[in-house]
Amino acid sequence: MTLQPVHLAVYDTLADWETGHATAYLARAGYRIRTVGPSEDPVVSIGGLRVLPDLALDAVRPEDSSLLILPGADLWDSSEDLAPFARKAREFLAAGTPVAAICGATAGLAREGLLDDRDHTSAVSFYLAATGYGGGERYADADAVTDGGLITAGPTEPVAFAREILGLLGVYEGEVLDAWYRLFHDSDPAAYAVLEKATADR
């Protein structure tokens, strides 16, 4: 079975470190990672990486995707430039295609109203409250949350963010997913043996 690609949003000031665990292990599992920019013009990350998007946001359709990943970026809080990505997330969720948002992207989704009726998390509750959104009662003080096809996480939880993504797409499950998290989050050497066996059994 051919897997639909995973679409990774890229834009100026994107936080490079927030999606690497997820995209690396999705790619190892056979997913093609396609970068999506505001246009096809290059963007520059917070870390100074110059990224040439594979395609522009307007060209992305939920039916052609397994997942849309929205990393954090300074622009989420300093302008309306990234609002089209939040609107695209609405389109994905309405079509039943999942979305994963971390750090500032959670605020963008809050402004779009996408967190009003879903359990979610972010950096801290008052960060999202400042957007004026209506979902404060659904905020969870957790490393990452999945609800209604939407994954959210705060900026210090890229490994938990990846765990939710890998679990949602079935890359790892159960004790193997737990072992992956323990290895990369907790540096638990015992978890490596579980992952090695799972890889050998595939």
Side-chain angles (χ1 to χ4, degrees), residues 26-87:
L26 288 170
R28 284 188 167 186
Y31 285 93
R32 183 180 177 199
I33 308 300
R34 302 204 71 200
T35 52
V36 182
S39 69
E40 293 185 15
D41 294 334
V43 299
V44 179
S45 74
I46 291 176
L49 297 182
R50 183 177 181 273
V51 181
L52 183 64
D54 292 315
L55 68 167
L57 184 63
D58 288 346
V60 180
R61 303 188 308 166
E63 59 267 33
D64 298 329
S65 182
S66 292
L67 173 73
L68 174 64
I69 302 177
L70 301 174
D74 292 343
L75 287 179
W76 282 112
D77 296 319
S78 63
S79 74
E80 291 295 313
D81 290 358
L82 302 186
F85 286 90
R87 291 194 290 272

Side-chain angles (χ1 to χ4, degrees), residues 24-167:
Y25 280 85
L26 288 170
R28 284 188 167 186
Y31 285 93
R32 183 180 177 199
I33 308 300
R34 302 204 71 200
T35 52
V36 182
S39 69
E40 293 185 15
D41 294 334
V43 299
V44 179
S45 74
I46 291 176
L49 297 182
R50 183 177 181 273
V51 181
L52 183 64
D54 292 315
L55 68 167
L57 184 63
D58 288 346
V60 180
R61 303 188 308 166
E63 59 267 33
D64 298 329
S65 182
S66 292
L67 173 73
L68 174 64
I69 302 177
L70 301 174
D74 292 343
L75 287 179
W76 282 112
D77 296 319
S78 63
S79 74
E80 291 295 313
D81 290 358
L82 302 186
F85 286 90
R87 291 194 290 272
K88 183 63 71 170
R90 176 180 291 282
E91 181 184 334
F92 266 59
L93 292 169
T97 304
V99 173
I102 186 169
C103 189
T106 63
L109 298 192
R111 293 184 191 97
E112 184 64 20
L114 296 175
L115 304 185
D116 289 354
D117 301 313
R118 293 178 174 87
D119 292 341
H120 60 276
T121 193
S122 184
V124 286
S125 60
F126 55 80
Y127 170 63
L128 291 186
T131 69
Y133 84 129
E137 292 184 355
R138 303 293 296 267
Y139 185 88
D141 187 12
D143 54 11
V145 173
T146 301
D147 186 30
L150 176 63
I151 296 168
T152 51
T156 61
E157 298 293 345
V159 180
F161 184 60
R163 177 196 64 207
E164 297 299 300
I165 290 170
L166 298 176

